Amino acid sequence: MNNKKKKNMLPALAMAGPVSVWMILFVTIPMLYIIYISFMSRGVFGDVVYKFSTESYKTILNPTYFKVILKSLKAAGITTILCLLLGYPLAYIIAHKPKDTAAKLITLIMIPFWTNSLMRLNSWLLLFQTSGPINNLLVGTGIVKEPITFIYTDGLVLIGLITNMLPFAVLPLYSTIEKLDKSLIEASADLGASAATTFMRVTLPITFPGIFSAIILVFIPSLGIYTVTDMLGGGKILYIGNIIKNQFGSIRNWPLGAALSVMLIVITMLLIFIYTRFAKIEDMEVV
């Protein structure tokens, strides 16, 4: 190995050390501890009994929990699909704007995250309450005869999830579309392909890494987030995130909460594994 290659490797090696320590301390060890706790037992008073048991994993297959898991997967799936359907055209439009305009539009997308999430969720409750602006508009225009119950429903929870997760779909999609080689689009048009054919056979396949990156960044948080369902569901609508929070909190069943967390970890790792089959992991950019 010549001196030039050695010099190029030095910054990478210097960076690898701190990154490895960070990953071990804040990712690997907590993850292994969660897996370890998931195979323990719950004591009479809610403490963890360090005795091997698979009871928590059996409990997950209980119809009550299993229905909640399926419901959570369905909600996360719908959220992901709708975020892609809304986010792709938006990212496509922004990517074809001048750099300065695109930067401003991206900033507009991120502005809601400059406010407290609880304030945003409370605003949805105020908008959709029985005497709120939405119901007043519907009744006033004669679309409905009496107010509709929006709050504490799956529909409002879904709206909350979509509005919270949409930027996480737009950013990776924008990053991928913005890098798209325009000459390929021009070549497709020169060969007589229609705009729809060019999109389906050129644009869509090339931007697939960004699409799958958006799926990961939206689906995984949507599956585990509990603040949205707590606020907009009013404690009446349960998803995996709510159950995990309750198990570690008021119910004090850490092994079951850990088992459910392990399930989320497995889903995350599976999605990342599938992603690496189609693209490089470093391509998962958001800006």
Side-chain angles (χ1 to χ4, degrees), residues 33-61:
Y33 182 68
I34 287 292
I35 295 172
Y36 172 71
I37 291 295
S38 71
F39 285 102
M40 297 298 106
S41 304
R42 179 181 185 270
V44 178
F45 300 104
D47 54 326
V48 178
V49 177
Y50 293 94
K51 179 182 178 182
F52 181 82
S53 173
T54 58
E55 190 62 33
S56 296
Y57 289 95
K58 292 178 182 177
T59 302
I60 292 177
L61 298 177

PDB file of all heavy atoms in Angstrom, residues 33-61:
ATOM      1  N   TYR A  33     -29.986  -5.496  25.452  1.00  0.00           N
ATOM      2  CA  TYR A  33     -30.654  -5.504  26.755  1.00  0.00           C
ATOM      3  C   TYR A  33     -32.161  -5.698  26.595  1.00  0.00           C
ATOM      4  O   TYR A  33     -32.782  -6.442  27.365  1.00  0.00           O
ATOM      5  CB  TYR A  33     -30.369  -4.191  27.494  1.00  0.00           C
ATOM      6  CG  TYR A  33     -30.980  -4.131  28.878  1.00  0.00           C
ATOM      7  CD1 TYR A  33     -30.508  -4.950  29.906  1.00  0.00           C
ATOM      8  CD2 TYR A  33     -32.041  -3.277  29.153  1.00  0.00           C
ATOM      9  CE1 TYR A  33     -31.065  -4.909  31.173  1.00  0.00           C
ATOM     10  CE2 TYR A  33     -32.610  -3.230  30.417  1.00  0.00           C
ATOM     11  CZ  TYR A  33     -32.117  -4.047  31.417  1.00  0.00           C
ATOM     12  OH  TYR A  33     -32.694  -4.012  32.668  1.00  0.00           O
ATOM     13  N   ILE A  34     -32.747  -5.041  25.589  1.00  0.00           N
ATOM     14  CA  ILE A  34     -34.183  -5.204  25.309  1.00  0.00           C
ATOM     15  C   ILE A  34     -34.490  -6.654  24.958  1.00  0.00           C
ATOM     16  O   ILE A  34     -35.476  -7.241  25.434  1.00  0.00           O
ATOM     17  CB  ILE A  34     -34.628  -4.256  24.178  1.00  0.00           C
ATOM     18  CG1 ILE A  34     -34.688  -2.815  24.679  1.00  0.00           C
ATOM     19  CG2 ILE A  34     -35.984  -4.671  23.620  1.00  0.00           C
ATOM     20  CD1 ILE A  34     -35.790  -2.550  25.685  1.00  0.00           C
ATOM     21  N   ILE A  35     -33.655  -7.250  24.121  1.00  0.00           N
ATOM     22  CA  ILE A  35     -33.849  -8.659  23.737  1.00  0.00           C
ATOM     23  C   ILE A  35     -33.739  -9.561  24.963  1.00  0.00           C
ATOM     24  O   ILE A  35     -34.524 -10.494  25.146  1.00  0.00           O
ATOM     25  CB  ILE A  35     -32.818  -9.073  22.660  1.00  0.00           C
ATOM     26  CG1 ILE A  35     -33.070  -8.285  21.373  1.00  0.00           C
ATOM     27  CG2 ILE A  35     -32.892 -10.575  22.384  1.00  0.00           C
ATOM     28  CD1 ILE A  35     -31.998  -8.464  20.320  1.00  0.00           C
ATOM     29  N   TYR A  36     -32.761  -9.272  25.822  1.00  0.00           N
ATOM     30  CA  TYR A  36     -32.560 -10.057  27.048  1.00  0.00           C
ATOM     31  C   TYR A  36     -33.780  -9.969  27.963  1.00  0.00           C
ATOM     32  O   TYR A  36     -34.292 -10.986  28.450  1.00  0.00           O
ATOM     33  CB  TYR A  36     -31.307  -9.541  27.762  1.00  0.00           C
ATOM     34  CG  TYR A  36     -31.089 -10.122  29.136  1.00  0.00           C
ATOM     35  CD1 TYR A  36     -30.701 -11.452  29.302  1.00  0.00           C
ATOM     36  CD2 TYR A  36     -31.257  -9.344  30.285  1.00  0.00           C
ATOM     37  CE1 TYR A  36     -30.498 -11.985  30.561  1.00  0.00           C
ATOM     38  CE2 TYR A  36     -31.058  -9.861  31.545  1.00  0.00           C
ATOM     39  CZ  TYR A  36     -30.680 -11.190  31.683  1.00  0.00           C
ATOM     40  OH  TYR A  36     -30.489 -11.718  32.930  1.00  0.00           O
ATOM     41  N   ILE A  37     -34.297  -8.743  28.182  1.00  0.00           N
ATOM     42  CA  ILE A  37     -35.455  -8.543  29.052  1.00  0.00           C
ATOM     43  C   ILE A  37     -36.687  -9.247  28.495  1.00  0.00           C
ATOM     44  O   ILE A  37     -37.537  -9.743  29.245  1.00  0.00           O
ATOM     45  CB  ILE A  37     -35.742  -7.035  29.246  1.00  0.00           C
ATOM     46  CG1 ILE A  37     -34.634  -6.376  30.071  1.00  0.00           C
ATOM     47  CG2 ILE A  37     -37.092  -6.818  29.923  1.00  0.00           C
ATOM     48  CD1 ILE A  37     -34.530  -6.874  31.490  1.00  0.00           C
ATOM     49  N   SER A  38     -36.798  -9.309  27.166  1.00  0.00           N
ATOM     50  CA  SER A  38     -37.977  -9.925  26.546  1.00  0.00           C
ATOM     51  C   SER A  38     -38.106 -11.409  26.874  1.00  0.00           C
ATOM     52  O   SER A  38     -39.191 -11.983  26.770  1.00  0.00           O
ATOM     53  CB  SER A  38     -37.948  -9.728  25.029  1.00  0.00           C
ATOM     54  OG  SER A  38     -36.946 -10.525  24.426  1.00  0.00           O
ATOM     55  N   PHE A  39     -37.001 -12.033  27.267  1.00  0.00           N
ATOM     56  CA  PHE A  39     -37.025 -13.453  27.607  1.00  0.00           C
ATOM     57  C   PHE A  39     -37.063 -13.679  29.123  1.00  0.00           C
ATOM     58  O   PHE A  39     -36.855 -14.805  29.594  1.00  0.00           O
ATOM     59  CB  PHE A  39     -35.808 -14.174  27.011  1.00  0.00           C
ATOM     60  CG  PHE A  39     -35.921 -14.389  25.524  1.00  0.00           C
ATOM     61  CD1 PHE A  39     -35.230 -13.575  24.642  1.00  0.00           C
ATOM     62  CD2 PHE A  39     -36.735 -15.396  25.016  1.00  0.00           C
ATOM     63  CE1 PHE A  39     -35.331 -13.765  23.276  1.00  0.00           C
ATOM     64  CE2 PHE A  39     -36.843 -15.590  23.649  1.00  0.00           C
ATOM     65  CZ  PHE A  39     -36.147 -14.772  22.778  1.00  0.00           C
ATOM     66  N   MET A  40     -37.325 -12.617  29.877  1.00  0.00           N
ATOM     67  CA  MET A  40     -37.456 -12.739  31.323  1.00  0.00           C
ATOM     68  C   MET A  40     -38.939 -12.835  31.696  1.00  0.00           C
ATOM     69  O   MET A  40     -39.822 -12.832  30.847  1.00  0.00           O
ATOM     70  CB  MET A  40     -36.801 -11.538  32.019  1.00  0.00           C
ATOM     71  CG  MET A  40     -35.283 -11.431  31.787  1.00  0.00           C
ATOM     72  SD  MET A  40     -34.345 -12.849  32.443  1.00  0.00           S
ATOM     73  CE  MET A  40     -33.925 -13.716  30.935  1.00  0.00           C
ATOM     74  N   SER A  41     -39.217 -12.891  33.003  1.00  0.00           N
ATOM     75  CA  SER A  41     -40.597 -13.025  33.492  1.00  0.00           C
ATOM     76  C   SER A  41     -40.996 -11.782  34.284  1.00  0.00           C
ATOM     77  O   SER A  41     -40.136 -11.037  34.777  1.00  0.00           O
ATOM     78  CB  SER A  41     -40.726 -14.262  34.383  1.00  0.00           C
ATOM     79  OG  SER A  41     -40.309 -15.421  33.700  1.00  0.00           O
ATOM     80  N   ARG A  42     -42.294 -11.583  34.408  1.00  0.00           N
ATOM     81  CA  ARG A  42     -42.817 -10.466  35.187  1.00  0.00           C
ATOM     82  C   ARG A  42     -43.140 -10.931  36.591  1.00  0.00           C
ATOM     83  O   ARG A  42     -43.783 -11.964  36.802  1.00  0.00           O
ATOM     84  CB  ARG A  42     -44.082  -9.903  34.533  1.00  0.00           C
ATOM     85  CG  ARG A  42     -44.724  -8.737  35.287  1.00  0.00           C
ATOM     86  CD  ARG A  42     -45.983  -8.272  34.569  1.00  0.00           C
ATOM     87  NE  ARG A  42     -46.571  -7.093  35.190  1.00  0.00           N
ATOM     88  CZ  ARG A  42     -47.486  -7.123  36.154  1.00  0.00           C
ATOM     89  NH1 ARG A  42     -47.926  -8.306  36.608  1.00  0.00           N
ATOM     90  NH2 ARG A  42     -47.973  -5.999  36.665  1.00  0.00           N
ATOM     91  N   GLY A  43     -42.686 -10.152  37.574  1.00  0.00           N
ATOM     92  CA  GLY A  43     -42.962 -10.484  38.959  1.00  0.00           C
ATOM     93  C   GLY A  43     -44.370 -10.085  39.370  1.00  0.00           C
ATOM     94  O   GLY A  43     -45.088  -9.399  38.637  1.00  0.00           O
ATOM     95  N   VAL A  44     -44.771 -10.470  40.548  1.00  0.00           N
ATOM     96  CA  VAL A  44     -46.117 -10.187  41.054  1.00  0.00           C
ATOM     97  C   VAL A  44     -46.356  -8.689  41.175  1.00  0.00           C
ATOM     98  O   VAL A  44     -47.460  -8.196  40.905  1.00  0.00           O
ATOM     99  CB  VAL A  44     -46.327 -10.871  42.423  1.00  0.00           C
ATOM    100  CG1 VAL A  44     -47.710 -10.526  42.978  1.00  0.00           C
ATOM    101  CG2 VAL A  44     -46.156 -12.371  42.297  1.00  0.00           C
ATOM    102  N   PHE A  45     -45.331  -7.942  41.565  1.00  0.00           N
ATOM    103  CA  PHE A  45     -45.474  -6.504  41.785  1.00  0.00           C
ATOM    104  C   PHE A  45     -44.947  -5.682  40.610  1.00  0.00           C
ATOM    105  O   PHE A  45     -44.652  -4.491  40.760  1.00  0.00           O
ATOM    106  CB  PHE A  45     -44.758  -6.110  43.079  1.00  0.00           C
ATOM    107  CG  PHE A  45     -45.291  -6.809  44.289  1.00  0.00           C
ATOM    108  CD1 PHE A  45     -44.585  -7.856  44.866  1.00  0.00           C
ATOM    109  CD2 PHE A  45     -46.514  -6.448  44.841  1.00  0.00           C
ATOM    110  CE1 PHE A  45     -45.083  -8.523  45.970  1.00  0.00           C
ATOM    111  CE2 PHE A  45     -47.013  -7.105  45.946  1.00  0.00           C
ATOM    112  CZ  PHE A  45     -46.304  -8.142  46.520  1.00  0.00           C
ATOM    113  N   GLY A  46     -44.827  -6.311  39.456  1.00  0.00           N
ATOM    114  CA  GLY A  46     -44.403  -5.592  38.268  1.00  0.00           C
ATOM    115  C   GLY A  46     -42.910  -5.513  38.070  1.00  0.00           C
ATOM    116  O   GLY A  46     -42.446  -4.851  37.144  1.00  0.00           O
ATOM    117  N   ASP A  47     -42.147  -6.184  38.939  1.00  0.00           N
ATOM    118  CA  ASP A  47     -40.702  -6.181  38.763  1.00  0.00           C
ATOM    119  C   ASP A  47     -40.295  -7.255  37.748  1.00  0.00           C
ATOM    120  O   ASP A  47     -41.091  -8.114  37.380  1.00  0.00           O
ATOM    121  CB  ASP A  47     -40.000  -6.447  40.099  1.00  0.00           C
ATOM    122  CG  ASP A  47     -40.503  -7.728  40.762  1.00  0.00           C
ATOM    123  OD1 ASP A  47     -41.707  -8.035  40.604  1.00  0.00           O
ATOM    124  OD2 ASP A  47     -39.707  -8.427  41.406  1.00  0.00           O
ATOM    125  N   VAL A  48     -39.065  -7.189  37.292  1.00  0.00           N
ATOM    126  CA  VAL A  48     -38.560  -8.160  36.326  1.00  0.00           C
ATOM    127  C   VAL A  48     -37.911  -9.311  37.075  1.00  0.00           C
ATOM    128  O   VAL A  48     -37.010  -9.111  37.887  1.00  0.00           O
ATOM    129  CB  VAL A  48     -37.533  -7.515  35.375  1.00  0.00           C
ATOM    130  CG1 VAL A  48     -36.981  -8.567  34.404  1.00  0.00           C
ATOM    131  CG2 VAL A  48     -38.163  -6.371  34.609  1.00  0.00           C
ATOM    132  N   VAL A  49     -38.398 -10.511  36.829  1.00  0.00           N
ATOM    133  CA  VAL A  49     -37.818 -11.721  37.418  1.00  0.00           C
ATOM    134  C   VAL A  49     -36.853 -12.310  36.392  1.00  0.00           C
ATOM    135  O   VAL A  49     -37.263 -12.675  35.285  1.00  0.00           O
ATOM    136  CB  VAL A  49     -38.914 -12.750  37.770  1.00  0.00           C
ATOM    137  CG1 VAL A  49     -38.272 -14.028  38.318  1.00  0.00           C
ATOM    138  CG2 VAL A  49     -39.884 -12.164  38.771  1.00  0.00           C
ATOM    139  N   TYR A  50     -35.590 -12.385  36.768  1.00  0.00           N
ATOM    140  CA  TYR A  50     -34.569 -12.824  35.813  1.00  0.00           C
ATOM    141  C   TYR A  50     -34.545 -14.349  35.727  1.00  0.00           C
ATOM    142  O   TYR A  50     -33.624 -15.029  36.155  1.00  0.00           O
ATOM    143  CB  TYR A  50     -33.210 -12.252  36.208  1.00  0.00           C
ATOM    144  CG  TYR A  50     -33.177 -10.749  36.063  1.00  0.00           C
ATOM    145  CD1 TYR A  50     -33.466  -9.917  37.147  1.00  0.00           C
ATOM    146  CD2 TYR A  50     -32.910 -10.153  34.831  1.00  0.00           C
ATOM    147  CE1 TYR A  50     -33.470  -8.533  37.005  1.00  0.00           C
ATOM    148  CE2 TYR A  50     -32.911  -8.773  34.688  1.00  0.00           C
ATOM    149  CZ  TYR A  50     -33.195  -7.974  35.774  1.00  0.00           C
ATOM    150  OH  TYR A  50     -33.204  -6.606  35.639  1.00  0.00           O
ATOM    151  N   LYS A  51     -35.616 -14.833  35.119  1.00  0.00           N
ATOM    152  CA  LYS A  51     -35.786 -16.264  34.889  1.00  0.00           C
ATOM    153  C   LYS A  51     -36.273 -16.452  33.456  1.00  0.00           C
ATOM    154  O   LYS A  51     -37.259 -15.836  33.039  1.00  0.00           O
ATOM    155  CB  LYS A  51     -36.807 -16.836  35.875  1.00  0.00           C
ATOM    156  CG  LYS A  51     -37.062 -18.326  35.701  1.00  0.00           C
ATOM    157  CD  LYS A  51     -38.114 -18.800  36.693  1.00  0.00           C
ATOM    158  CE  LYS A  51     -38.419 -20.288  36.500  1.00  0.00           C
ATOM    159  NZ  LYS A  51     -39.469 -20.763  37.429  1.00  0.00           N
ATOM    160  N   PHE A  52     -35.558 -17.289  32.700  1.00  0.00           N
ATOM    161  CA  PHE A  52     -35.869 -17.443  31.277  1.00  0.00           C
ATOM    162  C   PHE A  52     -37.317 -17.867  31.072  1.00  0.00           C
ATOM    163  O   PHE A  52     -37.831 -18.767  31.724  1.00  0.00           O
ATOM    164  CB  PHE A  52     -34.940 -18.483  30.642  1.00  0.00           C
ATOM    165  CG  PHE A  52     -35.190 -18.671  29.165  1.00  0.00           C
ATOM    166  CD1 PHE A  52     -34.634 -17.799  28.241  1.00  0.00           C
ATOM    167  CD2 PHE A  52     -36.003 -19.702  28.706  1.00  0.00           C
ATOM    168  CE1 PHE A  52     -34.871 -17.958  26.884  1.00  0.00           C
ATOM    169  CE2 PHE A  52     -36.243 -19.863  27.351  1.00  0.00           C
ATOM    170  CZ  PHE A  52     -35.671 -18.991  26.437  1.00  0.00           C
ATOM    171  N   SER A  53     -37.971 -17.160  30.123  1.00  0.00           N
ATOM    172  CA  SER A  53     -39.368 -17.460  29.811  1.00  0.00           C
ATOM    173  C   SER A  53     -39.701 -16.943  28.408  1.00  0.00           C
ATOM    174  O   SER A  53     -39.190 -15.906  27.983  1.00  0.00           O
ATOM    175  CB  SER A  53     -40.296 -16.803  30.835  1.00  0.00           C
ATOM    176  OG  SER A  53     -41.653 -16.944  30.445  1.00  0.00           O
ATOM    177  N   THR A  54     -40.526 -17.680  27.708  1.00  0.00           N
ATOM    178  CA  THR A  54     -41.000 -17.243  26.378  1.00  0.00           C
ATOM    179  C   THR A  54     -42.473 -16.798  26.459  1.00  0.00           C
ATOM    180  O   THR A  54     -43.133 -16.657  25.437  1.00  0.00           O
ATOM    181  CB  THR A  54     -40.862 -18.383  25.359  1.00  0.00           C
ATOM    182  OG1 THR A  54     -41.619 -19.522  25.812  1.00  0.00           O
ATOM    183  CG2 THR A  54     -39.402 -18.766  25.162  1.00  0.00           C
ATOM    184  N   GLU A  55     -42.956 -16.575  27.673  1.00  0.00           N
ATOM    185  CA  GLU A  55     -44.357 -16.225  27.892  1.00  0.00           C
ATOM    186  C   GLU A  55     -44.749 -14.928  27.168  1.00  0.00           C
ATOM    187  O   GLU A  55     -45.861 -14.803  26.649  1.00  0.00           O
ATOM    188  CB  GLU A  55     -44.630 -16.094  29.391  1.00  0.00           C
ATOM    189  CG  GLU A  55     -46.103 -15.963  29.741  1.00  0.00           C
ATOM    190  CD  GLU A  55     -46.920 -17.190  29.332  1.00  0.00           C
ATOM    191  OE1 GLU A  55     -46.368 -18.315  29.369  1.00  0.00           O
ATOM    192  OE2 GLU A  55     -48.097 -17.005  28.966  1.00  0.00           O
ATOM    193  N   SER A  56     -43.831 -13.955  27.138  1.00  0.00           N
ATOM    194  CA  SER A  56     -44.137 -12.682  26.498  1.00  0.00           C
ATOM    195  C   SER A  56     -44.396 -12.859  25.009  1.00  0.00           C
ATOM    196  O   SER A  56     -45.293 -12.222  24.436  1.00  0.00           O
ATOM    197  CB  SER A  56     -42.984 -11.694  26.717  1.00  0.00           C
ATOM    198  OG  SER A  56     -42.847 -11.394  28.088  1.00  0.00           O
ATOM    199  N   TYR A  57     -43.623 -13.716  24.370  1.00  0.00           N
ATOM    200  CA  TYR A  57     -43.811 -13.948  22.938  1.00  0.00           C
ATOM    201  C   TYR A  57     -45.087 -14.740  22.673  1.00  0.00           C
ATOM    202  O   TYR A  57     -45.726 -14.557  21.632  1.00  0.00           O
ATOM    203  CB  TYR A  57     -42.589 -14.659  22.358  1.00  0.00           C
ATOM    204  CG  TYR A  57     -41.372 -13.760  22.287  1.00  0.00           C
ATOM    205  CD1 TYR A  57     -40.426 -13.762  23.313  1.00  0.00           C
ATOM    206  CD2 TYR A  57     -41.198 -12.889  21.222  1.00  0.00           C
ATOM    207  CE1 TYR A  57     -39.318 -12.919  23.259  1.00  0.00           C
ATOM    208  CE2 TYR A  57     -40.095 -12.048  21.164  1.00  0.00           C
ATOM    209  CZ  TYR A  57     -39.157 -12.073  22.177  1.00  0.00           C
ATOM    210  OH  TYR A  57     -38.076 -11.226  22.129  1.00  0.00           O
ATOM    211  N   LYS A  58     -45.459 -15.599  23.607  1.00  0.00           N
ATOM    212  CA  LYS A  58     -46.733 -16.314  23.472  1.00  0.00           C
ATOM    213  C   LYS A  58     -47.906 -15.349  23.618  1.00  0.00           C
ATOM    214  O   LYS A  58     -48.934 -15.482  22.949  1.00  0.00           O
ATOM    215  CB  LYS A  58     -46.828 -17.421  24.528  1.00  0.00           C
ATOM    216  CG  LYS A  58     -45.837 -18.566  24.325  1.00  0.00           C
ATOM    217  CD  LYS A  58     -45.959 -19.593  25.435  1.00  0.00           C
ATOM    218  CE  LYS A  58     -44.944 -20.715  25.268  1.00  0.00           C
ATOM    219  NZ  LYS A  58     -45.011 -21.695  26.389  1.00  0.00           N
ATOM    220  N   THR A  59     -47.730 -14.358  24.510  1.00  0.00           N
ATOM    221  CA  THR A  59     -48.788 -13.374  24.750  1.00  0.00           C
ATOM    222  C   THR A  59     -49.051 -12.542  23.487  1.00  0.00           C
ATOM    223  O   THR A  59     -50.195 -12.158  23.215  1.00  0.00           O
ATOM    224  CB  THR A  59     -48.402 -12.439  25.908  1.00  0.00           C
ATOM    225  OG1 THR A  59     -48.158 -13.226  27.081  1.00  0.00           O
ATOM    226  CG2 THR A  59     -49.513 -11.442  26.206  1.00  0.00           C
ATOM    227  N   ILE A  60     -47.987 -12.265  22.734  1.00  0.00           N
ATOM    228  CA  ILE A  60     -48.145 -11.480  21.505  1.00  0.00           C
ATOM    229  C   ILE A  60     -49.112 -12.161  20.545  1.00  0.00           C
ATOM    230  O   ILE A  60     -49.851 -11.500  19.811  1.00  0.00           O
ATOM    231  CB  ILE A  60     -46.769 -11.271  20.828  1.00  0.00           C
ATOM    232  CG1 ILE A  60     -45.899 -10.359  21.688  1.00  0.00           C
ATOM    233  CG2 ILE A  60     -46.929 -10.679  19.434  1.00  0.00           C
ATOM    234  CD1 ILE A  60     -44.502 -10.155  21.145  1.00  0.00           C
ATOM    235  N   LEU A  61     -49.129 -13.508  20.555  1.00  0.00           N
ATOM    236  CA  LEU A  61     -50.004 -14.261  19.659  1.00  0.00           C
ATOM    237  C   LEU A  61     -51.439 -14.350  20.176  1.00  0.00           C
ATOM    238  O   LEU A  61     -52.316 -14.867  19.490  1.00  0.00           O
ATOM    239  CB  LEU A  61     -49.445 -15.671  19.453  1.00  0.00           C
ATOM    240  CG  LEU A  61     -48.054 -15.742  18.794  1.00  0.00           C
ATOM    241  CD1 LEU A  61     -47.579 -17.183  18.711  1.00  0.00           C
ATOM    242  CD2 LEU A  61     -48.081 -15.106  17.414  1.00  0.00           C
TER     243      LEU A  61
END
